[in-house]
Structures are given as structure tokens and as C-alpha cells.
Amino acid sequence: MTRVAAAQLAAGTDPEANLAACLRMIDAAAAAGAELVVLPEFCNHLSWYDDRAHARRMACRLGDSFLSAIAARAARHRMYVKIGVTLARADGRTTGTSLLYAPDGALLGESDKQILMGAENDYLDAGTDDSPVIETALGRIGMYACMEGVISEVTRSLVLRGAQLLLNSLNSFAIDEASLHIPVRAAENRVWVVAANKVGPLLPDTQLPAIAARLGVPADRLHGAGESQIVAPDGTRVAVAPVWGEAIVIADIDLRQADDKRAAGGTDLLADRRPELYRPLITATGVRQAAPGADTITAAIAAPDAALVQQLADAGTDLIVLPGPATVTVPEIVAALADTGSHVVLSVREGDAHHGLLVNADGIAGRQPQLHRSARHPWAVELGSELRIFELPWGRLAVVVGDDALFPETFRLAAVADADVVAVPGITGQPWELTLGLPERAAENRLNVVAAALDSHGLTGGIYGLSRDFTLWTTWSGPFTGRISHPEITAVEPGATTAHAVIRPAQAVNRLVSRGTDLVAGRPRRPLDAMTTSRPKARA
């Protein structure tokens, strides 16, 4: 077992005070017996500057007094220390950089942040190299920072290259970091994650009111959101810090658990990937080309019953998703849709293939083969070669069949193909998929997701709709709650046979989470090399 710690702290504009806070938290982690501690992002200075020259003046240099003190404290306690700072590079760049110090004080690895958030683009230079996987006596470690964990590429690349433990330093006021973006990276990759966030103001006190007004965010929401945490490979948060105040959280973890990549149904989350299918992630720009879909439509999930389908269709439901493989026949569905404009998505077994079907009152309007091998459906050996997009009167629809939903790459393909809605018939229904996986697919890709499944209690799944409010630096229609990209979730009530909600296809056009930060067009390129060309690294 390895004892790890996440430390949350406040950092202002005084580097000496910030250093003292970092050393204090390293000491506290050591006193608790930790062998490794993760500190937040931008520990040396607030991530807000007068201009790029100011950012460079305040940045650390390798070997300077700030970083030498961190290295010395790591050596004093014989522990690993991960810290995020701004770094003035010799080539003139100023980067947001994660640094890992060894128990002897040596610098083991560094990783420049590849995705900058909002105003960070004004002051810093994005990293151009993929984050390294660092071999240590504890295990294989990967590092990333804040916005790099809001989309899937950086962490996916690290795990494909063998990382067992991911260390995330954050500087975030978004409360959906702690509830969604941090734990999902553990669950979808089956690795341990240690994440340390800030507390206290993230902007200079004197400028906070004016900046808050420009952002359209209450000033008290521009504080670090805390909840630093340690997450197990199944997505369970085994230790969580409070929202406010300095804190250390500790957990004893077994890194060997990160070597089993099988989901609950047996599908291997890495070995069953198909890198050859993901080439569009490199060739497509991700800049939205298709026109917006409808402002709103009504979507539903339902138990596989033709009478229920007819009720929903007669009520004007635009999209109905059934769990699959379906026990209701296509002719029954076609009859239930008579004289309506509704579409139904279900999946069926056809010989050695598992197909998602798009059905309307005229019959089968589209067909999507399953793309990945599935331990739940071992008979499905005839796999598809691409993710298709179906043009409907209200927007662009992708169909994700069965265990294809376990792979974040599938939904990324839908995003770069300008889908507005993704229908998922027949998800596994395991807890992390419903509470973390599907919400994140909606959030990181700006997709409305409608997913259905059956379990021992009946219908399960959910509708994950895009909110009207998303981009920071723009006026929101409602009050800012601290949640930036989390979708609006409609779950199935216990014992219910249907669930329905209004979703917004047109909102899929807006992928700009903040000024200069596009969730799809801004995805980093280096991690895509590992994602589209390599099988997972062999594990000892």
C-alpha cells in the first residue's frame, strides 16, 4: 500500500507567503505519513497578471529559491511532491507547469499544461509536448492540470502509456470539477487519481469585483472550490476535503488495482479500444461546420413496450430510446409510430452483429453497427468501421451501441462530426457510467445524451441535456451556480417505465467554455497520437 495526500491551500500575489503555505502543507502531509503529496496549480502566484511581461516576471525558474525550497522539503521528508507553478522557460515561453520532485529532492519530471483556460491564454504559452509517464519506486505516475482534466485526451494518453496513478493540480472555482471531471478520469481509465484544488480568491482582491462583473459571476464564486480528493479506479472518492479552508486528505492506495482495466461487464476499457477508428479525431479540426439544430425537442427513454412507445409518440415526443438488444420488434415499433413524426432508437442482434436502429413510421431510417468488442455481447464479432451521423428534422443524431458508450473516444467522434444528440440503447447501467461517464460525455463534447438500459429493477438510464448557460465571459440567463459544464440530468424514477425531458440540440454548437478555450476544436494534438496509433502499454 502507498499513502498519498492531496493538499488544498490559498495562494495570492505574494510568492513568499505562497511558498510558506506550500511548505506548511508538505509538512502536514509528511506528519500524516504520506509518501506522496499533490499541491494545487499556480502555487507561486495567482493566475491573473497585468500582461504577459508581468506573468513572466512572477514566474518561477528551475532551481530558483521557490522551487529549491520545495525540492529541499521533499528531500527532508523523503517524499514525492507534485506542484503546479508558472515557469519562465529559457526559450522565452512562460508555461503553466507541473513538477514532480523525488524523495532525494531531484526533479523527476515536468509537464507543461496543454490546454489553457480563458485568461490564461493572455499570459501563458500552451505546452506542445505530451505529458510524460514517470517510472518511480511507487509506480508509474502521470501528471496533468485543471483544464486538461475537463476533456479526456490528456489522461487517456497517460493511461495508454502505462500510468497507474494520475496527479491533478487545479486552480478552479467550478464545483463540477469535484463532482464530475476529477472522478470520471479515474473510472473511465481505471486508475487512481489524486487531485488538489485551491481555496481562497483566485483573483486579486482589488480587482475581484470588476472582473466578476465582466464575467457575469458573483465575486464569491471566484474562489477556489476546494474538495481536493483521492479517487479509486472505480470512481469512488475515498477521501474528500471540505469546500473551504486549508486541508490535507490522506488515503492508503494499492496501485496494482489500476492494472485491471475490465469494466463490470468484463469489457476491457483499454484493450478493446479500436485506434484505427479514431483517426477523424486527428483529421477533423473540431470547428463546428453544421448549422444549429432545433432550439428544443422532447426526448424520452422507455421500457421496451410498443404501447409505451405509442403513448409517447402520440404525445409528440421527438426521440424515444429503448434499452437493447430489444425485446420488441421493428414492425411493432413502426406500427406504434403510425401518423407521427417520432423517431425510436433501439438495438437488435442480427446474426453475428449488434446494430443500433433508427426507426420512424416508414420503417428503418438508419443503422449503426457496434464498433467495439463487448464482453456482455460476445456474439457481436462483426463490428462497424465508422460512427455515422443521421440528419433529422431537428438536428444531427449519432447512435452509440451498447458497450461503445464505455469509450470516451466514441463520443468524441460524434462531437467532431457535429452531432447534436447521441442516443445510447443498452448501456451497462453500472453506477459510474450513469453518474460520471454519461454526464461527462455530454459535458466534455457539448452533446445531448439520451441513454436507456434495463437492470434487475427495471428501466434505468438517463437524459443528459445541455444547459442554455455555458460560456464564461458571456451573460447567463440564470444565476451562476458554480457548475460550468455539467449537463441537466433527468433520471428514471424508481419503478417508472419512462422518463422524458426537453433537450436543446442547438446548444451543441457552443463549445466555448471560456474565452479562447474550445472543448472540441481546442483538444490537444500530442495525446491524439497515442490515442489513434497505439494499443495500451503492456502491464507487469
Side-chain angles (χ1 to χ4, degrees):
M1 300 292 283
T2 300
R3 179 161 291 189
V4 297
Q8 66 184 36
L9 54 86
T13 57
D14 181 348
E16 290 301 318
N18 297 339
L19 175 60
C22 291
L23 298 178
R24 181 168 63 248
M25 301 312 286
I26 293 171
D27 290 345
E35 299 169 72
L36 176 149
V37 62
V38 178
L39 302 178
E41 186 183 27
F42 303 137
C43 282
N44 58 312
H45 193 277
L46 288 177
S47 60
W48 193 269
Y49 302 94
D50 297 335
D51 50 34
R52 290 182 72 88
H54 181 211
R56 187 163 182 82
R57 287 196 306 274
M58 302 310 299
C60 292
R61 276 76 175 163
L62 291 176
D64 68 6
S65 58
F66 190 104
L67 294 177
S68 293
I70 298 295
R73 198 57 58 98
R76 176 190 297 183
H77 294 303
R78 303 296 301 169
M79 68 189 304
Y80 293 88
V81 176
K82 193 256 193 178
I83 186 171
V85 297
T86 55
L87 201 61
R89 295 289 188 182
D91 60 7
R93 294 178 302 129
T94 305
T95 56
T97 302
S98 295
L99 301 171
L100 181 66
Y101 288 96
D104 62 359
L107 179 60
L108 276 185
E110 52 190 272
S111 172
D112 293 338
K113 188 178 184 180
Q114 299 170 70
I115 313 168
L116 300 178
M117 176 65 168
E120 293 170 18
N121 290 282
D122 297 334
Y123 313 125
L124 304 177
D125 299 290
T128 56
D129 295 326
D130 208 356
S131 302
V133 174
I134 304 165
E135 297 276 357
T136 74
L138 302 181
R140 299 181 297 275
I141 293 175
M143 301 188 292
Y144 64 110
C146 205
M147 186 62 209
E148 290 182 310
V150 177
I151 62 176
S152 60
E153 280 82 357
V154 173
T155 52
R156 194 63 150 180
S157 172
L158 286 166
V159 174
L160 283 168
R161 289 179 286 124
Q164 300 164 295
L165 172 62
L166 301 181
L167 311 180
N168 182 12
S169 296
L170 298 102
N171 178 74
S172 179
F173 58 81
I175 63 173
D176 42 0
E177 292 277 13
S179 63
L180 179 59
H181 302 311
I182 294 171
V184 74
R185 302 307 167 208
E188 72 191 12
N189 293 300
R190 292 199 59 81
V191 291
W192 288 94
V193 171
V194 182
N197 197 9
K198 290 271 190 68
V199 290
L202 300 183
L203 298 166
D205 288 331
T206 57
Q207 301 179 53
L208 188 56
I211 296 169
R214 287 161 56 194
L215 279 171
V217 173
D220 63 356
R221 287 290 185 184
L222 294 177
H223 287 230
E227 291 194 87
S228 300
Q229 58 194 260
I230 299 164
V231 190
D234 64 356
T236 301
R237 302 193 300 172
V238 298
V240 184
V243 173
W244 307 104
E246 276 192 1
I248 291 279
V249 291
I250 302 286
D252 294 318
I253 69 174
D254 182 357
L255 289 185
R256 293 173 299 180
Q257 292 178 7
D259 293 332
D260 182 358
K261 301 301 182 184
R262 291 169 297 176
T267 299
D268 192 302
L269 299 179
L270 294 192
D272 289 332
R273 294 170 67 256
R274 294 184 63 195
E276 67 276 12
L277 298 188
Y278 312 146
R279 296 298 297 173
L281 300 182
I282 287 182
T283 58
T285 66
V287 176
R288 175 82 183 206
Q289 303 293 326
D295 286 341
T296 61
I297 65 169
T298 302
I301 58 177
D305 181 277
L308 283 177
V309 170
Q310 184 172 348
Q311 291 174 20
L312 290 166
D314 288 345
T317 308
D318 297 285
L319 176 66
I320 305 164
V321 180
L322 307 181
T327 55
V328 60
T329 68
V330 171
E332 289 174 316
I333 295 298
V334 171
L337 297 179
D339 300 319
T340 76
S342 299
H343 285 81
V344 169
V345 175
L346 67 159
S347 75
V348 297
R349 177 176 181 175
E350 296 184 340
D352 292 332
H354 187 193
H355 286 178
L357 301 182
L358 176 65
V359 180
N360 60 24
D362 296 323
I364 296 175
R367 186 183 297 271
Q368 172 64 61
Q370 181 177 306
L371 299 176
H372 301 87
R373 290 178 297 177
S374 166
R376 288 197 304 144
H377 307 130
W379 42 265
V381 295
E382 293 182 6
L383 301 177
S385 59
E386 64 177 349
L387 184 73
R388 301 168 182 172
I389 302 296
F390 305 102
E391 294 273 5
L392 297 179
W394 42 258
R396 295 166 62 83
L397 175 73
V399 176
V400 171
V401 182
D403 284 7
D404 288 349
L406 294 173
F407 301 90
E409 294 89 345
T410 312
F411 292 84
R412 225 39 173 159
L413 289 171
V416 300
D418 292 348
D420 301 311
V421 180
V422 176
V424 189
I427 57 173
T428 64
Q430 55 188 298
W432 78 264
E433 189 177 12
L434 295 171
T435 61
L436 298 173
L438 292 171
E440 184 68 359
R441 303 306 155 238
E444 70 186 357
N445 296 295
R446 294 294 290 170
L447 294 167
N448 298 276
V449 177
V450 185
L454 288 175
D455 64 15
S456 59
H457 302 290
L459 182 69
T460 186
I463 301 170
Y464 306 85
L466 298 179
S467 169
R468 289 189 183 92
D469 294 320
F470 178 56
T471 306
L472 297 174
W473 298 91
T474 62
T475 301
W476 283 32
S477 63
F480 182 74
T481 62
R483 289 163 47 131
I484 297 176
S485 59
H486 202 291
E488 298 174 350
I489 300 177
T490 301
V492 181
E493 295 293 333
T497 55
T498 65
H500 58 87
V502 172
I503 59 174
R504 304 178 179 90
Q507 288 299 320
V509 171
N510 180 15
R511 298 146 165 186
L512 202 66
V513 64
S514 187
R515 181 164 48 85
T517 308
D518 187 299
L519 293 179
V520 181
R523 63 196 186 281
R525 297 294 160 166
R526 288 297 186 188
L528 293 173
D529 292 339
M531 291 173 62
T532 58
T533 62
S534 60
R535 297 290 178 181
K537 180 178 178 180
R539 297 180 290 275

PDB file of all heavy atoms in Angstrom, residues 307-330:
ATOM      1  N   ALA A 307     -46.743  -0.374 -26.639  1.00  0.00           N
ATOM      2  CA  ALA A 307     -47.809   0.506 -26.158  1.00  0.00           C
ATOM      3  C   ALA A 307     -47.231   1.782 -25.548  1.00  0.00           C
ATOM      4  O   ALA A 307     -47.775   2.882 -25.746  1.00  0.00           O
ATOM      5  CB  ALA A 307     -48.679  -0.229 -25.146  1.00  0.00           C
ATOM      6  N   LEU A 308     -46.130   1.652 -24.806  1.00  0.00           N
ATOM      7  CA  LEU A 308     -45.476   2.839 -24.253  1.00  0.00           C
ATOM      8  C   LEU A 308     -44.944   3.732 -25.362  1.00  0.00           C
ATOM      9  O   LEU A 308     -45.067   4.968 -25.300  1.00  0.00           O
ATOM     10  CB  LEU A 308     -44.322   2.416 -23.334  1.00  0.00           C
ATOM     11  CG  LEU A 308     -44.664   1.905 -21.940  1.00  0.00           C
ATOM     12  CD1 LEU A 308     -43.385   1.467 -21.231  1.00  0.00           C
ATOM     13  CD2 LEU A 308     -45.364   2.985 -21.139  1.00  0.00           C
ATOM     14  N   VAL A 309     -44.349   3.112 -26.363  1.00  0.00           N
ATOM     15  CA  VAL A 309     -43.833   3.885 -27.493  1.00  0.00           C
ATOM     16  C   VAL A 309     -44.966   4.661 -28.163  1.00  0.00           C
ATOM     17  O   VAL A 309     -44.820   5.851 -28.482  1.00  0.00           O
ATOM     18  CB  VAL A 309     -43.129   2.960 -28.506  1.00  0.00           C
ATOM     19  CG1 VAL A 309     -42.798   3.717 -29.792  1.00  0.00           C
ATOM     20  CG2 VAL A 309     -41.868   2.370 -27.892  1.00  0.00           C
ATOM     21  N   GLN A 310     -46.108   4.015 -28.345  1.00  0.00           N
ATOM     22  CA  GLN A 310     -47.237   4.687 -28.985  1.00  0.00           C
ATOM     23  C   GLN A 310     -47.724   5.860 -28.142  1.00  0.00           C
ATOM     24  O   GLN A 310     -48.032   6.936 -28.678  1.00  0.00           O
ATOM     25  CB  GLN A 310     -48.377   3.705 -29.224  1.00  0.00           C
ATOM     26  CG  GLN A 310     -49.552   4.321 -29.975  1.00  0.00           C
ATOM     27  CD  GLN A 310     -50.597   3.301 -30.371  1.00  0.00           C
ATOM     28  OE1 GLN A 310     -50.370   2.101 -30.292  1.00  0.00           O
ATOM     29  NE2 GLN A 310     -51.752   3.780 -30.827  1.00  0.00           N
ATOM     30  N   GLN A 311     -47.788   5.691 -26.824  1.00  0.00           N
ATOM     31  CA  GLN A 311     -48.211   6.783 -25.954  1.00  0.00           C
ATOM     32  C   GLN A 311     -47.278   7.974 -26.082  1.00  0.00           C
ATOM     33  O   GLN A 311     -47.720   9.122 -26.186  1.00  0.00           O
ATOM     34  CB  GLN A 311     -48.252   6.309 -24.500  1.00  0.00           C
ATOM     35  CG  GLN A 311     -49.344   5.312 -24.180  1.00  0.00           C
ATOM     36  CD  GLN A 311     -49.225   4.773 -22.762  1.00  0.00           C
ATOM     37  OE1 GLN A 311     -48.572   5.395 -21.901  1.00  0.00           O
ATOM     38  NE2 GLN A 311     -49.835   3.626 -22.507  1.00  0.00           N
ATOM     39  N   LEU A 312     -45.976   7.708 -26.078  1.00  0.00           N
ATOM     40  CA  LEU A 312     -45.000   8.795 -26.170  1.00  0.00           C
ATOM     41  C   LEU A 312     -45.056   9.462 -27.536  1.00  0.00           C
ATOM     42  O   LEU A 312     -44.983  10.700 -27.651  1.00  0.00           O
ATOM     43  CB  LEU A 312     -43.596   8.248 -25.899  1.00  0.00           C
ATOM     44  CG  LEU A 312     -43.322   7.823 -24.453  1.00  0.00           C
ATOM     45  CD1 LEU A 312     -42.048   6.998 -24.374  1.00  0.00           C
ATOM     46  CD2 LEU A 312     -43.216   9.048 -23.544  1.00  0.00           C
ATOM     47  N   ALA A 313     -45.173   8.664 -28.580  1.00  0.00           N
ATOM     48  CA  ALA A 313     -45.234   9.230 -29.920  1.00  0.00           C
ATOM     49  C   ALA A 313     -46.492  10.068 -30.101  1.00  0.00           C
ATOM     50  O   ALA A 313     -46.447  11.175 -30.667  1.00  0.00           O
ATOM     51  CB  ALA A 313     -45.167   8.111 -30.957  1.00  0.00           C
ATOM     52  N   ASP A 314     -47.627   9.562 -29.635  1.00  0.00           N
ATOM     53  CA  ASP A 314     -48.878  10.313 -29.762  1.00  0.00           C
ATOM     54  C   ASP A 314     -48.835  11.627 -28.980  1.00  0.00           C
ATOM     55  O   ASP A 314     -49.529  12.589 -29.329  1.00  0.00           O
ATOM     56  CB  ASP A 314     -50.052   9.461 -29.276  1.00  0.00           C
ATOM     57  CG  ASP A 314     -50.398   8.326 -30.232  1.00  0.00           C
ATOM     58  OD1 ASP A 314     -49.926   8.360 -31.385  1.00  0.00           O
ATOM     59  OD2 ASP A 314     -51.113   7.390 -29.815  1.00  0.00           O
ATOM     60  N   ALA A 315     -47.998  11.661 -27.928  1.00  0.00           N
ATOM     61  CA  ALA A 315     -47.853  12.886 -27.139  1.00  0.00           C
ATOM     62  C   ALA A 315     -46.879  13.878 -27.780  1.00  0.00           C
ATOM     63  O   ALA A 315     -46.638  14.953 -27.230  1.00  0.00           O
ATOM     64  CB  ALA A 315     -47.390  12.546 -25.732  1.00  0.00           C
ATOM     65  N   GLY A 316     -46.297  13.487 -28.925  1.00  0.00           N
ATOM     66  CA  GLY A 316     -45.414  14.414 -29.638  1.00  0.00           C
ATOM     67  C   GLY A 316     -43.949  14.291 -29.278  1.00  0.00           C
ATOM     68  O   GLY A 316     -43.160  15.184 -29.608  1.00  0.00           O
ATOM     69  N   THR A 317     -43.537  13.209 -28.634  1.00  0.00           N
ATOM     70  CA  THR A 317     -42.128  13.020 -28.293  1.00  0.00           C
ATOM     71  C   THR A 317     -41.303  12.859 -29.564  1.00  0.00           C
ATOM     72  O   THR A 317     -41.632  12.044 -30.428  1.00  0.00           O
ATOM     73  CB  THR A 317     -41.951  11.788 -27.401  1.00  0.00           C
ATOM     74  OG1 THR A 317     -42.841  11.880 -26.283  1.00  0.00           O
ATOM     75  CG2 THR A 317     -40.522  11.673 -26.902  1.00  0.00           C
ATOM     76  N   ASP A 318     -40.248  13.619 -29.688  1.00  0.00           N
ATOM     77  CA  ASP A 318     -39.449  13.613 -30.915  1.00  0.00           C
ATOM     78  C   ASP A 318     -38.519  12.409 -30.999  1.00  0.00           C
ATOM     79  O   ASP A 318     -38.323  11.838 -32.080  1.00  0.00           O
ATOM     80  CB  ASP A 318     -38.620  14.902 -31.006  1.00  0.00           C
ATOM     81  CG  ASP A 318     -39.499  16.134 -31.089  1.00  0.00           C
ATOM     82  OD1 ASP A 318     -40.062  16.373 -32.159  1.00  0.00           O
ATOM     83  OD2 ASP A 318     -39.613  16.842 -30.069  1.00  0.00           O
ATOM     84  N   LEU A 319     -37.885  12.043 -29.869  1.00  0.00           N
ATOM     85  CA  LEU A 319     -36.896  10.967 -29.858  1.00  0.00           C
ATOM     86  C   LEU A 319     -37.167  10.058 -28.677  1.00  0.00           C
ATOM     87  O   LEU A 319     -37.260  10.523 -27.538  1.00  0.00           O
ATOM     88  CB  LEU A 319     -35.479  11.545 -29.759  1.00  0.00           C
ATOM     89  CG  LEU A 319     -34.335  10.526 -29.641  1.00  0.00           C
ATOM     90  CD1 LEU A 319     -34.210   9.696 -30.914  1.00  0.00           C
ATOM     91  CD2 LEU A 319     -33.014  11.229 -29.332  1.00  0.00           C
ATOM     92  N   ILE A 320     -37.269   8.760 -28.944  1.00  0.00           N
ATOM     93  CA  ILE A 320     -37.525   7.755 -27.909  1.00  0.00           C
ATOM     94  C   ILE A 320     -36.421   6.709 -28.003  1.00  0.00           C
ATOM     95  O   ILE A 320     -36.184   6.143 -29.083  1.00  0.00           O
ATOM     96  CB  ILE A 320     -38.893   7.087 -28.110  1.00  0.00           C
ATOM     97  CG1 ILE A 320     -40.011   8.141 -28.163  1.00  0.00           C
ATOM     98  CG2 ILE A 320     -39.158   6.064 -27.003  1.00  0.00           C
ATOM     99  CD1 ILE A 320     -41.315   7.621 -28.742  1.00  0.00           C
ATOM    100  N   VAL A 321     -35.737   6.443 -26.910  1.00  0.00           N
ATOM    101  CA  VAL A 321     -34.651   5.463 -26.887  1.00  0.00           C
ATOM    102  C   VAL A 321     -35.060   4.303 -25.994  1.00  0.00           C
ATOM    103  O   VAL A 321     -35.500   4.502 -24.855  1.00  0.00           O
ATOM    104  CB  VAL A 321     -33.336   6.104 -26.391  1.00  0.00           C
ATOM    105  CG1 VAL A 321     -32.216   5.063 -26.370  1.00  0.00           C
ATOM    106  CG2 VAL A 321     -32.940   7.279 -27.290  1.00  0.00           C
ATOM    107  N   LEU A 322     -34.900   3.088 -26.535  1.00  0.00           N
ATOM    108  CA  LEU A 322     -35.236   1.870 -25.811  1.00  0.00           C
ATOM    109  C   LEU A 322     -33.964   1.117 -25.439  1.00  0.00           C
ATOM    110  O   LEU A 322     -32.973   1.165 -26.169  1.00  0.00           O
ATOM    111  CB  LEU A 322     -36.109   0.956 -26.679  1.00  0.00           C
ATOM    112  CG  LEU A 322     -37.372   1.559 -27.295  1.00  0.00           C
ATOM    113  CD1 LEU A 322     -38.110   0.490 -28.099  1.00  0.00           C
ATOM    114  CD2 LEU A 322     -38.273   2.149 -26.229  1.00  0.00           C
ATOM    115  N   PRO A 323     -33.984   0.390 -24.320  1.00  0.00           N
ATOM    116  CA  PRO A 323     -32.824  -0.440 -23.983  1.00  0.00           C
ATOM    117  C   PRO A 323     -32.703  -1.604 -24.951  1.00  0.00           C
ATOM    118  O   PRO A 323     -33.702  -2.122 -25.457  1.00  0.00           O
ATOM    119  CB  PRO A 323     -33.110  -0.906 -22.561  1.00  0.00           C
ATOM    120  CG  PRO A 323     -34.593  -0.815 -22.425  1.00  0.00           C
ATOM    121  CD  PRO A 323     -35.041   0.312 -23.303  1.00  0.00           C
ATOM    122  N   GLY A 324     -31.463  -2.002 -25.225  1.00  0.00           N
ATOM    123  CA  GLY A 324     -31.263  -3.087 -26.186  1.00  0.00           C
ATOM    124  C   GLY A 324     -30.272  -4.112 -25.647  1.00  0.00           C
ATOM    125  O   GLY A 324     -29.603  -3.878 -24.640  1.00  0.00           O
ATOM    126  N   PRO A 325     -30.132  -5.225 -26.365  1.00  0.00           N
ATOM    127  CA  PRO A 325     -30.925  -5.632 -27.525  1.00  0.00           C
ATOM    128  C   PRO A 325     -32.411  -5.729 -27.181  1.00  0.00           C
ATOM    129  O   PRO A 325     -32.792  -6.233 -26.132  1.00  0.00           O
ATOM    130  CB  PRO A 325     -30.358  -6.994 -27.889  1.00  0.00           C
ATOM    131  CG  PRO A 325     -28.968  -6.994 -27.327  1.00  0.00           C
ATOM    132  CD  PRO A 325     -29.072  -6.207 -26.060  1.00  0.00           C
ATOM    133  N   ALA A 326     -33.224  -5.216 -28.097  1.00  0.00           N
ATOM    134  CA  ALA A 326     -34.641  -5.027 -27.831  1.00  0.00           C
ATOM    135  C   ALA A 326     -35.407  -6.340 -27.816  1.00  0.00           C
ATOM    136  O   ALA A 326     -35.073  -7.295 -28.525  1.00  0.00           O
ATOM    137  CB  ALA A 326     -35.244  -4.096 -28.869  1.00  0.00           C
ATOM    138  N   THR A 327     -36.469  -6.363 -27.004  1.00  0.00           N
ATOM    139  CA  THR A 327     -37.388  -7.494 -26.990  1.00  0.00           C
ATOM    140  C   THR A 327     -38.671  -7.166 -27.741  1.00  0.00           C
ATOM    141  O   THR A 327     -39.589  -7.985 -27.783  1.00  0.00           O
ATOM    142  CB  THR A 327     -37.727  -7.877 -25.542  1.00  0.00           C
ATOM    143  OG1 THR A 327     -38.242  -6.726 -24.859  1.00  0.00           O
ATOM    144  CG2 THR A 327     -36.497  -8.376 -24.806  1.00  0.00           C
ATOM    145  N   VAL A 328     -38.724  -5.976 -28.309  1.00  0.00           N
ATOM    146  CA  VAL A 328     -39.852  -5.573 -29.125  1.00  0.00           C
ATOM    147  C   VAL A 328     -39.380  -5.524 -30.575  1.00  0.00           C
ATOM    148  O   VAL A 328     -38.224  -5.171 -30.842  1.00  0.00           O
ATOM    149  CB  VAL A 328     -40.407  -4.208 -28.656  1.00  0.00           C
ATOM    150  CG1 VAL A 328     -39.360  -3.127 -28.759  1.00  0.00           C
ATOM    151  CG2 VAL A 328     -41.660  -3.813 -29.410  1.00  0.00           C
ATOM    152  N   THR A 329     -40.223  -5.869 -31.521  1.00  0.00           N
ATOM    153  CA  THR A 329     -39.790  -5.987 -32.912  1.00  0.00           C
ATOM    154  C   THR A 329     -39.921  -4.664 -33.658  1.00  0.00           C
ATOM    155  O   THR A 329     -40.695  -3.777 -33.262  1.00  0.00           O
ATOM    156  CB  THR A 329     -40.617  -7.047 -33.649  1.00  0.00           C
ATOM    157  OG1 THR A 329     -41.961  -6.582 -33.792  1.00  0.00           O
ATOM    158  CG2 THR A 329     -40.592  -8.375 -32.909  1.00  0.00           C
ATOM    159  N   VAL A 330     -39.184  -4.566 -34.737  1.00  0.00           N
ATOM    160  CA  VAL A 330     -39.255  -3.365 -35.561  1.00  0.00           C
ATOM    161  C   VAL A 330     -40.658  -3.148 -36.125  1.00  0.00           C
ATOM    162  O   VAL A 330     -41.180  -2.023 -36.081  1.00  0.00           O
ATOM    163  CB  VAL A 330     -38.191  -3.407 -36.682  1.00  0.00           C
ATOM    164  CG1 VAL A 330     -38.409  -2.271 -37.681  1.00  0.00           C
ATOM    165  CG2 VAL A 330     -36.795  -3.327 -36.084  1.00  0.00           C
TER     166      VAL A 330
END
